[in-house]
Amino acid sequence: IGRGAKGARALPQAEAQALFGDILDGKVPGLELGAILLALRIKGEDESELAGFAAALSPRTARLDPPSGPRCVLLPSYNGARRQANLMPLVARMLAREGIPVLIHGFHDFAERLDPFALLAEQGIQPAANLAEAGASLARDRIALVRLETLNPGLARLLALRPRLGVRNVGHTLAKLLDPCPGRSVRVVPMTHPEAMSKMTGLLTRERAWALLMRGTEGEAYALPRRRPRLAGFFAGEERELFPAEEADGSREIRAAESNLANAAWINSLLAGEQPIPQPILDQVAALGELARA
Protein backbone atom coordinates (compact mmCIF):
# COMPACT_ATOMS: atom_id res chain seq x y z
CA ILE A 1 0.00 0.00 0.00
CA GLY A 2 3.00 2.34 0.31
CA ARG A 3 4.78 1.74 -3.01
CA GLY A 4 3.58 4.88 -4.77
CA ALA A 5 1.20 5.70 -7.59
CA LYS A 6 2.32 2.85 -9.87
CA GLY A 7 3.33 0.20 -7.37
CA ALA A 8 0.65 0.43 -4.65
CA ARG A 9 -2.04 -2.25 -4.61
CA ALA A 10 -5.18 -2.77 -2.57
CA LEU A 11 -5.07 -5.28 0.25
CA PRO A 12 -7.18 -8.42 -0.19
CA GLN A 13 -10.33 -8.20 1.93
CA ALA A 14 -9.25 -10.88 4.41
CA GLU A 15 -5.87 -9.22 4.88
CA ALA A 16 -7.52 -5.82 5.34
CA GLN A 17 -9.81 -7.30 7.98
CA ALA A 18 -6.90 -8.86 9.87
CA LEU A 19 -4.87 -5.64 9.70
CA PHE A 20 -7.67 -3.37 10.88
CA GLY A 21 -8.50 -5.80 13.67
CA ASP A 22 -4.91 -5.55 14.90
CA ILE A 23 -5.07 -1.75 14.64
CA LEU A 24 -8.26 -1.58 16.70
CA ASP A 25 -6.80 -3.99 19.25
CA GLY A 26 -3.71 -1.82 19.69
CA LYS A 27 -1.31 -4.44 18.33
CA VAL A 28 0.36 -2.26 15.67
CA PRO A 29 3.33 -0.19 16.95
CA GLY A 30 3.17 3.59 16.56
CA LEU A 31 5.72 4.01 13.75
CA GLU A 32 4.13 1.29 11.62
CA LEU A 33 0.62 2.55 12.41
CA GLY A 34 1.44 6.08 11.24
CA ALA A 35 2.99 4.71 8.04
CA ILE A 36 -0.04 2.52 7.34
CA LEU A 37 -2.55 5.31 7.92
CA LEU A 38 -0.72 7.78 5.70
CA ALA A 39 -0.12 5.19 2.99
CA LEU A 40 -3.83 4.39 2.91
CA ARG A 41 -4.72 8.07 2.78
CA ILE A 42 -2.39 8.70 -0.15
CA LYS A 43 -3.41 5.54 -2.04
CA GLY A 44 -7.10 5.74 -1.17
CA GLU A 45 -9.02 2.74 0.16
CA ASP A 46 -10.84 0.58 -2.35
CA GLU A 47 -14.18 -1.11 -1.75
CA SER A 48 -12.70 -4.50 -0.79
CA GLU A 49 -10.42 -2.86 1.77
CA LEU A 50 -13.32 -0.92 3.26
CA ALA A 51 -15.34 -4.14 3.41
CA GLY A 52 -12.50 -5.83 5.30
CA PHE A 53 -12.12 -2.89 7.68
CA ALA A 54 -15.89 -2.87 8.31
CA ALA A 55 -15.84 -6.60 9.01
CA ALA A 56 -13.16 -6.03 11.66
CA LEU A 57 -15.09 -3.12 13.14
CA SER A 58 -18.38 -4.94 13.69
CA PRO A 59 -17.40 -7.54 16.33
CA ARG A 60 -15.43 -4.89 18.27
CA THR A 61 -18.41 -2.53 18.53
CA ALA A 62 -20.51 -2.68 21.69
CA ARG A 63 -24.14 -3.76 21.27
CA LEU A 64 -27.29 -1.91 22.30
CA ASP A 65 -30.89 -3.13 22.27
CA PRO A 66 -33.18 -0.41 20.85
CA PRO A 67 -36.86 -0.27 21.81
CA SER A 68 -39.37 -2.26 19.79
CA GLY A 69 -41.07 -0.57 16.86
CA PRO A 70 -39.34 1.36 14.07
CA ARG A 71 -35.65 0.80 13.40
CA CYS A 72 -33.24 2.98 15.35
CA VAL A 73 -31.72 5.77 13.25
CA LEU A 74 -27.96 6.14 13.81
CA LEU A 75 -26.67 9.70 13.36
CA PRO A 76 -22.86 10.10 13.32
CA SER A 77 -21.37 13.42 14.46
CA TYR A 78 -17.61 13.74 13.93
CA ASN A 79 -17.12 17.30 12.67
CA GLY A 80 -19.17 20.11 14.18
CA ALA A 81 -20.15 23.45 12.68
CA ARG A 82 -17.64 25.62 10.87
CA ARG A 83 -19.45 28.18 8.70
CA GLN A 84 -23.10 27.12 9.02
CA ALA A 85 -25.33 26.36 11.97
CA ASN A 86 -25.49 22.60 12.64
CA LEU A 87 -28.98 21.16 12.05
CA MET A 88 -28.12 17.54 12.86
CA PRO A 89 -29.88 17.86 16.27
CA LEU A 90 -32.98 19.15 14.46
CA VAL A 91 -33.13 15.96 12.38
CA ALA A 92 -32.72 13.88 15.55
CA ARG A 93 -35.41 15.70 17.50
CA MET A 94 -37.90 15.64 14.61
CA LEU A 95 -37.49 11.87 14.27
CA ALA A 96 -37.83 11.36 18.03
CA ARG A 97 -40.99 13.46 17.99
CA GLU A 98 -42.41 10.97 15.47
CA GLY A 99 -41.61 8.06 17.79
CA ILE A 100 -38.54 6.90 15.86
CA PRO A 101 -35.59 6.14 18.17
CA VAL A 102 -32.39 8.03 17.34
CA LEU A 103 -28.91 7.22 18.60
CA ILE A 104 -26.32 9.96 18.02
CA HIS A 105 -22.71 8.84 18.27
CA GLY A 106 -19.60 10.95 17.81
CA PHE A 107 -16.15 12.22 18.63
CA HIS A 108 -14.90 15.81 18.56
CA ASP A 109 -11.36 17.18 18.45
CA PHE A 110 -11.65 20.12 16.03
CA ALA A 111 -10.62 23.24 17.94
CA GLU A 112 -11.65 25.41 14.99
CA ARG A 113 -15.23 24.04 14.87
CA LEU A 114 -18.16 24.34 17.26
CA ASP A 115 -18.46 21.25 19.43
CA PRO A 116 -21.62 19.24 18.57
CA PHE A 117 -21.67 17.75 22.07
CA ALA A 118 -21.94 21.28 23.52
CA LEU A 119 -24.72 22.05 21.03
CA LEU A 120 -26.64 18.96 22.11
CA ALA A 121 -26.10 19.87 25.77
CA GLU A 122 -27.77 23.23 25.08
CA GLN A 123 -30.86 21.19 24.14
CA GLY A 124 -30.73 18.96 27.20
CA ILE A 125 -29.12 15.98 25.46
CA GLN A 126 -26.14 14.68 27.43
CA PRO A 127 -23.86 11.71 26.60
CA ALA A 128 -24.94 8.48 28.26
CA ALA A 129 -22.48 7.07 30.78
CA ASN A 130 -22.92 3.57 29.37
CA LEU A 131 -25.03 1.64 26.89
CA ALA A 132 -27.60 0.63 29.51
CA GLU A 133 -28.25 4.31 30.17
CA ALA A 134 -28.40 4.99 26.41
CA GLY A 135 -30.95 2.20 25.99
CA ALA A 136 -33.08 3.66 28.78
CA SER A 137 -32.96 7.09 27.12
CA LEU A 138 -34.06 5.60 23.80
CA ALA A 139 -36.98 3.84 25.45
CA ARG A 140 -38.03 6.92 27.43
CA ASP A 141 -37.21 9.87 25.14
CA ARG A 142 -36.58 8.19 21.78
CA ILE A 143 -33.18 9.93 21.64
CA ALA A 144 -29.77 9.13 23.12
CA LEU A 145 -26.18 10.29 22.72
CA VAL A 146 -23.04 8.20 23.19
CA ARG A 147 -19.40 9.08 22.72
CA LEU A 148 -17.33 6.92 20.41
CA GLU A 149 -15.22 5.74 23.36
CA THR A 150 -18.33 4.00 24.72
CA LEU A 151 -19.02 2.14 21.48
CA ASN A 152 -15.54 1.33 20.20
CA PRO A 153 -12.49 2.42 22.25
CA GLY A 154 -10.05 1.18 19.59
CA LEU A 155 -11.63 3.35 16.93
CA ALA A 156 -11.65 6.33 19.30
CA ARG A 157 -7.89 5.92 19.79
CA LEU A 158 -7.46 5.89 16.02
CA LEU A 159 -9.44 9.10 15.52
CA ALA A 160 -7.48 10.77 18.30
CA LEU A 161 -4.34 10.55 16.09
CA ARG A 162 -5.64 13.22 13.72
CA PRO A 163 -4.03 16.21 15.53
CA ARG A 164 -0.66 14.39 15.62
CA LEU A 165 -0.73 13.23 11.98
CA GLY A 166 -2.24 16.47 10.72
CA VAL A 167 -4.83 14.69 8.53
CA ARG A 168 -7.80 12.41 8.94
CA ASN A 169 -7.42 8.69 8.51
CA VAL A 170 -9.54 5.74 7.44
CA GLY A 171 -11.02 5.58 10.94
CA HIS A 172 -13.04 8.71 10.23
CA THR A 173 -14.75 6.93 7.32
CA LEU A 174 -15.33 3.76 9.33
CA ALA A 175 -16.89 5.72 12.20
CA LYS A 176 -19.83 6.53 9.93
CA LEU A 177 -20.44 2.78 9.49
CA LEU A 178 -20.65 1.96 13.20
CA ASP A 179 -23.71 -0.11 14.03
CA PRO A 180 -24.31 -1.01 17.69
CA CYS A 181 -27.73 -2.51 16.90
CA PRO A 182 -27.30 -4.51 13.65
CA GLY A 183 -30.55 -5.72 12.14
CA ARG A 184 -32.51 -3.06 14.03
CA SER A 185 -30.96 0.13 12.68
CA VAL A 186 -30.84 2.63 9.83
CA ARG A 187 -27.40 4.18 9.45
CA VAL A 188 -27.09 7.71 8.11
CA VAL A 189 -23.87 7.76 6.09
CA PRO A 190 -22.80 11.33 5.20
CA MET A 191 -19.96 11.52 2.69
CA THR A 192 -18.26 14.39 0.86
CA HIS A 193 -16.47 13.25 -2.30
CA PRO A 194 -18.14 11.55 -5.31
CA GLU A 195 -15.51 8.79 -5.29
CA ALA A 196 -16.28 8.02 -1.65
CA MET A 197 -20.00 7.94 -2.50
CA SER A 198 -19.39 5.33 -5.17
CA LYS A 199 -17.35 3.10 -2.85
CA MET A 200 -19.90 3.42 -0.08
CA THR A 201 -22.72 2.51 -2.47
CA GLY A 202 -20.93 -0.73 -3.30
CA LEU A 203 -20.22 -1.48 0.35
CA LEU A 204 -23.78 -0.83 1.56
CA THR A 205 -25.12 -3.00 -1.26
CA ARG A 206 -22.68 -5.77 -0.38
CA GLU A 207 -23.63 -5.57 3.32
CA ARG A 208 -27.37 -5.67 2.51
CA ALA A 209 -27.55 -2.58 4.68
CA TRP A 210 -30.42 -0.43 5.85
CA ALA A 211 -29.01 3.05 5.41
CA LEU A 212 -29.38 6.57 4.01
CA LEU A 213 -26.39 7.66 1.92
CA MET A 214 -26.11 11.38 1.31
CA ARG A 215 -23.72 14.28 0.97
CA GLY A 216 -23.21 15.69 4.44
CA THR A 217 -23.12 19.38 5.31
CA GLU A 218 -19.63 20.26 6.52
CA GLY A 219 -19.33 16.57 7.31
CA GLU A 220 -22.42 16.47 9.54
CA ALA A 221 -25.40 14.20 8.92
CA TYR A 222 -28.01 16.69 7.76
CA ALA A 223 -29.17 17.98 4.38
CA LEU A 224 -27.96 21.39 3.29
CA PRO A 225 -30.92 23.78 3.73
CA ARG A 226 -30.13 25.71 0.54
CA ARG A 227 -29.70 22.67 -1.72
CA ARG A 228 -31.02 19.19 -0.99
CA PRO A 229 -28.45 16.49 -1.78
CA ARG A 230 -29.44 13.22 -3.38
CA LEU A 231 -30.95 11.01 -0.68
CA ALA A 232 -30.27 7.35 -1.49
CA GLY A 233 -32.04 4.78 0.66
CA PHE A 234 -30.73 1.24 1.04
CA PHE A 235 -33.43 -1.29 1.87
CA ALA A 236 -31.57 -4.49 2.81
CA GLY A 237 -28.93 -3.46 0.27
CA GLU A 238 -31.36 -2.45 -2.49
CA GLU A 239 -30.67 1.16 -3.45
CA ARG A 240 -33.62 3.49 -4.10
CA GLU A 241 -33.43 7.19 -4.81
CA LEU A 242 -35.80 8.65 -2.25
CA PHE A 243 -35.14 12.27 -3.25
CA PRO A 244 -33.02 13.53 -6.16
CA ALA A 245 -30.44 16.27 -5.80
CA GLU A 246 -31.75 19.78 -6.46
CA GLU A 247 -30.34 23.09 -7.57
CA ALA A 248 -29.34 25.65 -4.96
CA ASP A 249 -32.08 28.02 -3.82
CA GLY A 250 -30.54 31.32 -2.78
CA SER A 251 -33.78 32.44 -1.13
CA ARG A 252 -33.47 29.84 1.62
CA GLU A 253 -31.96 31.11 4.82
CA ILE A 254 -28.51 29.95 5.88
CA ARG A 255 -27.58 30.70 9.47
CA ALA A 256 -23.94 31.27 10.32
CA ALA A 257 -22.24 29.16 12.98
CA GLU A 258 -22.25 31.99 15.55
CA SER A 259 -22.40 29.99 18.77
CA ASN A 260 -23.94 26.81 20.11
CA LEU A 261 -26.39 28.89 22.14
CA ALA A 262 -27.66 30.71 19.03
CA ASN A 263 -27.72 27.45 17.07
CA ALA A 264 -29.81 25.73 19.75
CA ALA A 265 -32.21 28.69 19.92
CA TRP A 266 -32.79 28.51 16.15
CA ILE A 267 -33.50 24.77 16.34
CA ASN A 268 -35.98 25.38 19.17
CA SER A 269 -37.76 28.06 17.14
CA LEU A 270 -38.01 25.73 14.14
CA LEU A 271 -39.47 22.94 16.27
CA ALA A 272 -41.93 25.35 17.87
CA GLY A 273 -43.23 26.37 14.43
CA GLU A 274 -42.06 29.97 14.81
CA GLN A 275 -40.08 29.65 11.57
CA PRO A 276 -40.45 27.21 8.66
CA ILE A 277 -38.25 24.13 8.73
CA PRO A 278 -36.07 24.01 5.58
CA GLN A 279 -37.58 21.70 2.98
CA PRO A 280 -34.41 19.56 2.56
CA ILE A 281 -34.57 18.75 6.29
CA LEU A 282 -38.24 17.77 5.97
CA ASP A 283 -37.28 15.55 3.03
CA GLN A 284 -34.45 13.90 4.96
CA VAL A 285 -36.71 13.19 7.92
CA ALA A 286 -39.34 11.75 5.57
CA ALA A 287 -36.72 9.50 3.93
CA LEU A 288 -35.49 8.25 7.30
CA GLY A 289 -39.03 7.66 8.45
CA GLU A 290 -39.67 5.50 5.41
CA LEU A 291 -36.51 3.47 6.04
CA ALA A 292 -37.17 3.12 9.77
CA ARG A 293 -40.74 1.88 9.30
CA ALA A 294 -40.18 -0.28 6.20
Side-chain angles (χ1 to χ4, degrees), residues 11-21 48-49 51-53 55-56 206:
L11 295 170
Q13 182 172 333
E15 200 168 313
Q17 180 176 346
L19 172 62
F20 202 65
S48 66
E49 286 174 321
F53 296 158
R206 181 189 302 206

PDB file of all heavy atoms in Angstrom, residues 11-21 48-49 51-53 55-56 206:
ATOM      1  N   LEU A  11      -5.167  -4.059  -0.541  1.00  0.00           N
ATOM      2  CA  LEU A  11      -5.071  -5.280   0.255  1.00  0.00           C
ATOM      3  C   LEU A  11      -6.250  -6.191  -0.066  1.00  0.00           C
ATOM      4  O   LEU A  11      -7.370  -5.713  -0.266  1.00  0.00           O
ATOM      5  CB  LEU A  11      -5.108  -4.949   1.748  1.00  0.00           C
ATOM      6  CG  LEU A  11      -3.955  -4.131   2.326  1.00  0.00           C
ATOM      7  CD1 LEU A  11      -4.300  -3.698   3.754  1.00  0.00           C
ATOM      8  CD2 LEU A  11      -2.676  -4.942   2.319  1.00  0.00           C
ATOM      9  N   PRO A  12      -6.037  -7.509  -0.105  1.00  0.00           N
ATOM     10  CA  PRO A  12      -7.183  -8.418  -0.190  1.00  0.00           C
ATOM     11  C   PRO A  12      -8.095  -8.204   1.020  1.00  0.00           C
ATOM     12  O   PRO A  12      -7.638  -7.795   2.094  1.00  0.00           O
ATOM     13  CB  PRO A  12      -6.543  -9.809  -0.166  1.00  0.00           C
ATOM     14  CG  PRO A  12      -5.123  -9.586  -0.570  1.00  0.00           C
ATOM     15  CD  PRO A  12      -4.752  -8.229  -0.072  1.00  0.00           C
ATOM     16  N   GLN A  13      -9.374  -8.498   0.858  1.00  0.00           N
ATOM     17  CA  GLN A  13     -10.328  -8.205   1.931  1.00  0.00           C
ATOM     18  C   GLN A  13      -9.964  -8.894   3.243  1.00  0.00           C
ATOM     19  O   GLN A  13     -10.026  -8.279   4.312  1.00  0.00           O
ATOM     20  CB  GLN A  13     -11.741  -8.610   1.498  1.00  0.00           C
ATOM     21  CG  GLN A  13     -12.804  -8.290   2.545  1.00  0.00           C
ATOM     22  CD  GLN A  13     -14.210  -8.517   2.045  1.00  0.00           C
ATOM     23  OE1 GLN A  13     -14.478  -8.440   0.848  1.00  0.00           O
ATOM     24  NE2 GLN A  13     -15.124  -8.812   2.950  1.00  0.00           N
ATOM     25  N   ALA A  14      -9.582 -10.157   3.183  1.00  0.00           N
ATOM     26  CA  ALA A  14      -9.250 -10.879   4.415  1.00  0.00           C
ATOM     27  C   ALA A  14      -8.037 -10.267   5.104  1.00  0.00           C
ATOM     28  O   ALA A  14      -7.982 -10.169   6.345  1.00  0.00           O
ATOM     29  CB  ALA A  14      -8.995 -12.349   4.096  1.00  0.00           C
ATOM     30  N   GLU A  15      -7.066  -9.831   4.317  1.00  0.00           N
ATOM     31  CA  GLU A  15      -5.871  -9.216   4.885  1.00  0.00           C
ATOM     32  C   GLU A  15      -6.204  -7.854   5.495  1.00  0.00           C
ATOM     33  O   GLU A  15      -5.692  -7.484   6.557  1.00  0.00           O
ATOM     34  CB  GLU A  15      -4.805  -9.070   3.795  1.00  0.00           C
ATOM     35  CG  GLU A  15      -3.395  -8.908   4.326  1.00  0.00           C
ATOM     36  CD  GLU A  15      -2.365  -9.060   3.219  1.00  0.00           C
ATOM     37  OE1 GLU A  15      -2.479 -10.032   2.440  1.00  0.00           O
ATOM     38  OE2 GLU A  15      -1.467  -8.214   3.146  1.00  0.00           O
ATOM     39  N   ALA A  16      -7.081  -7.108   4.810  1.00  0.00           N
ATOM     40  CA  ALA A  16      -7.519  -5.816   5.342  1.00  0.00           C
ATOM     41  C   ALA A  16      -8.253  -5.998   6.657  1.00  0.00           C
ATOM     42  O   ALA A  16      -8.062  -5.223   7.613  1.00  0.00           O
ATOM     43  CB  ALA A  16      -8.425  -5.118   4.326  1.00  0.00           C
ATOM     44  N   GLN A  17      -9.086  -7.031   6.733  1.00  0.00           N
ATOM     45  CA  GLN A  17      -9.815  -7.301   7.978  1.00  0.00           C
ATOM     46  C   GLN A  17      -8.856  -7.631   9.112  1.00  0.00           C
ATOM     47  O   GLN A  17      -8.994  -7.123  10.237  1.00  0.00           O
ATOM     48  CB  GLN A  17     -10.807  -8.449   7.764  1.00  0.00           C
ATOM     49  CG  GLN A  17     -11.608  -8.795   9.013  1.00  0.00           C
ATOM     50  CD  GLN A  17     -12.654  -9.871   8.755  1.00  0.00           C
ATOM     51  OE1 GLN A  17     -12.963 -10.187   7.597  1.00  0.00           O
ATOM     52  NE2 GLN A  17     -13.202 -10.443   9.808  1.00  0.00           N
ATOM     53  N   ALA A  18      -7.868  -8.481   8.835  1.00  0.00           N
ATOM     54  CA  ALA A  18      -6.901  -8.856   9.870  1.00  0.00           C
ATOM     55  C   ALA A  18      -6.088  -7.645  10.326  1.00  0.00           C
ATOM     56  O   ALA A  18      -5.850  -7.447  11.525  1.00  0.00           O
ATOM     57  CB  ALA A  18      -5.985  -9.955   9.343  1.00  0.00           C
ATOM     58  N   LEU A  19      -5.664  -6.822   9.370  1.00  0.00           N
ATOM     59  CA  LEU A  19      -4.869  -5.641   9.700  1.00  0.00           C
ATOM     60  C   LEU A  19      -5.669  -4.665  10.550  1.00  0.00           C
ATOM     61  O   LEU A  19      -5.186  -4.183  11.585  1.00  0.00           O
ATOM     62  CB  LEU A  19      -4.398  -4.953   8.424  1.00  0.00           C
ATOM     63  CG  LEU A  19      -3.711  -3.592   8.616  1.00  0.00           C
ATOM     64  CD1 LEU A  19      -2.441  -3.733   9.443  1.00  0.00           C
ATOM     65  CD2 LEU A  19      -3.408  -2.947   7.276  1.00  0.00           C
ATOM     66  N   PHE A  20      -6.890  -4.363  10.132  1.00  0.00           N
ATOM     67  CA  PHE A  20      -7.670  -3.373  10.876  1.00  0.00           C
ATOM     68  C   PHE A  20      -8.054  -3.906  12.253  1.00  0.00           C
ATOM     69  O   PHE A  20      -8.134  -3.138  13.227  1.00  0.00           O
ATOM     70  CB  PHE A  20      -8.922  -2.968  10.092  1.00  0.00           C
ATOM     71  CG  PHE A  20      -9.468  -1.635  10.511  1.00  0.00           C
ATOM     72  CD1 PHE A  20      -8.735  -0.472  10.305  1.00  0.00           C
ATOM     73  CD2 PHE A  20     -10.721  -1.521  11.108  1.00  0.00           C
ATOM     74  CE1 PHE A  20      -9.232   0.770  10.684  1.00  0.00           C
ATOM     75  CE2 PHE A  20     -11.225  -0.289  11.489  1.00  0.00           C
ATOM     76  CZ  PHE A  20     -10.480   0.856  11.278  1.00  0.00           C
ATOM     77  N   GLY A  21      -8.256  -5.210  12.359  1.00  0.00           N
ATOM     78  CA  GLY A  21      -8.505  -5.796  13.675  1.00  0.00           C
ATOM     79  C   GLY A  21      -7.323  -5.583  14.599  1.00  0.00           C
ATOM     80  O   GLY A  21      -7.486  -5.220  15.778  1.00  0.00           O
ATOM     81  N   SER A  48     -13.001  -3.249  -1.487  1.00  0.00           N
ATOM     82  CA  SER A  48     -12.700  -4.501  -0.786  1.00  0.00           C
ATOM     83  C   SER A  48     -11.971  -4.226   0.520  1.00  0.00           C
ATOM     84  O   SER A  48     -12.199  -4.911   1.523  1.00  0.00           O
ATOM     85  CB  SER A  48     -11.871  -5.425  -1.686  1.00  0.00           C
ATOM     86  OG  SER A  48     -10.594  -4.874  -1.934  1.00  0.00           O
ATOM     87  N   GLU A  49     -11.089  -3.220   0.529  1.00  0.00           N
ATOM     88  CA  GLU A  49     -10.417  -2.860   1.774  1.00  0.00           C
ATOM     89  C   GLU A  49     -11.416  -2.331   2.793  1.00  0.00           C
ATOM     90  O   GLU A  49     -11.389  -2.716   3.970  1.00  0.00           O
ATOM     91  CB  GLU A  49      -9.334  -1.816   1.507  1.00  0.00           C
ATOM     92  CG  GLU A  49      -8.101  -2.382   0.822  1.00  0.00           C
ATOM     93  CD  GLU A  49      -7.115  -1.304   0.443  1.00  0.00           C
ATOM     94  OE1 GLU A  49      -7.544  -0.217   0.007  1.00  0.00           O
ATOM     95  OE2 GLU A  49      -5.892  -1.574   0.541  1.00  0.00           O
ATOM     96  N   ALA A  51     -14.534  -3.012   2.953  1.00  0.00           N
ATOM     97  CA  ALA A  51     -15.339  -4.138   3.413  1.00  0.00           C
ATOM     98  C   ALA A  51     -14.595  -4.939   4.489  1.00  0.00           C
ATOM     99  O   ALA A  51     -15.188  -5.369   5.484  1.00  0.00           O
ATOM    100  CB  ALA A  51     -15.703  -5.040   2.234  1.00  0.00           C
ATOM    101  N   GLY A  52     -13.294  -5.125   4.294  1.00  0.00           N
ATOM    102  CA  GLY A  52     -12.501  -5.826   5.300  1.00  0.00           C
ATOM    103  C   GLY A  52     -12.404  -5.041   6.591  1.00  0.00           C
ATOM    104  O   GLY A  52     -12.529  -5.601   7.695  1.00  0.00           O
ATOM    105  N   PHE A  53     -12.194  -3.732   6.478  1.00  0.00           N
ATOM    106  CA  PHE A  53     -12.123  -2.894   7.677  1.00  0.00           C
ATOM    107  C   PHE A  53     -13.457  -2.931   8.428  1.00  0.00           C
ATOM    108  O   PHE A  53     -13.492  -3.028   9.664  1.00  0.00           O
ATOM    109  CB  PHE A  53     -11.797  -1.448   7.292  1.00  0.00           C
ATOM    110  CG  PHE A  53     -10.445  -1.262   6.652  1.00  0.00           C
ATOM    111  CD1 PHE A  53     -10.191  -0.162   5.858  1.00  0.00           C
ATOM    112  CD2 PHE A  53      -9.427  -2.189   6.840  1.00  0.00           C
ATOM    113  CE1 PHE A  53      -8.956   0.030   5.263  1.00  0.00           C
ATOM    114  CE2 PHE A  53      -8.179  -2.015   6.242  1.00  0.00           C
ATOM    115  CZ  PHE A  53      -7.951  -0.904   5.454  1.00  0.00           C
ATOM    116  N   ALA A  55     -15.665  -5.284   8.403  1.00  0.00           N
ATOM    117  CA  ALA A  55     -15.840  -6.602   9.013  1.00  0.00           C
ATOM    118  C   ALA A  55     -15.070  -6.712  10.320  1.00  0.00           C
ATOM    119  O   ALA A  55     -15.502  -7.395  11.260  1.00  0.00           O
ATOM    120  CB  ALA A  55     -15.392  -7.691   8.037  1.00  0.00           C
ATOM    121  N   ALA A  56     -13.921  -6.044  10.409  1.00  0.00           N
ATOM    122  CA  ALA A  56     -13.160  -6.035  11.659  1.00  0.00           C
ATOM    123  C   ALA A  56     -13.813  -5.138  12.689  1.00  0.00           C
ATOM    124  O   ALA A  56     -13.732  -5.389  13.901  1.00  0.00           O
ATOM    125  CB  ALA A  56     -11.729  -5.567  11.393  1.00  0.00           C
ATOM    126  N   ARG A 206     -23.306  -4.507  -0.749  1.00  0.00           N
ATOM    127  CA  ARG A 206     -22.685  -5.770  -0.375  1.00  0.00           C
ATOM    128  C   ARG A 206     -23.117  -6.226   1.019  1.00  0.00           C
ATOM    129  O   ARG A 206     -23.324  -7.415   1.264  1.00  0.00           O
ATOM    130  CB  ARG A 206     -21.166  -5.621  -0.430  1.00  0.00           C
ATOM    131  CG  ARG A 206     -20.398  -6.884  -0.087  1.00  0.00           C
ATOM    132  CD  ARG A 206     -18.914  -6.630   0.046  1.00  0.00           C
ATOM    133  NE  ARG A 206     -18.306  -6.073  -1.150  1.00  0.00           N
ATOM    134  CZ  ARG A 206     -17.032  -6.223  -1.478  1.00  0.00           C
ATOM    135  NH1 ARG A 206     -16.228  -6.918  -0.686  1.00  0.00           N
ATOM    136  NH2 ARG A 206     -16.547  -5.687  -2.568  1.00  0.00           N
TER     137      ARG A 206
END
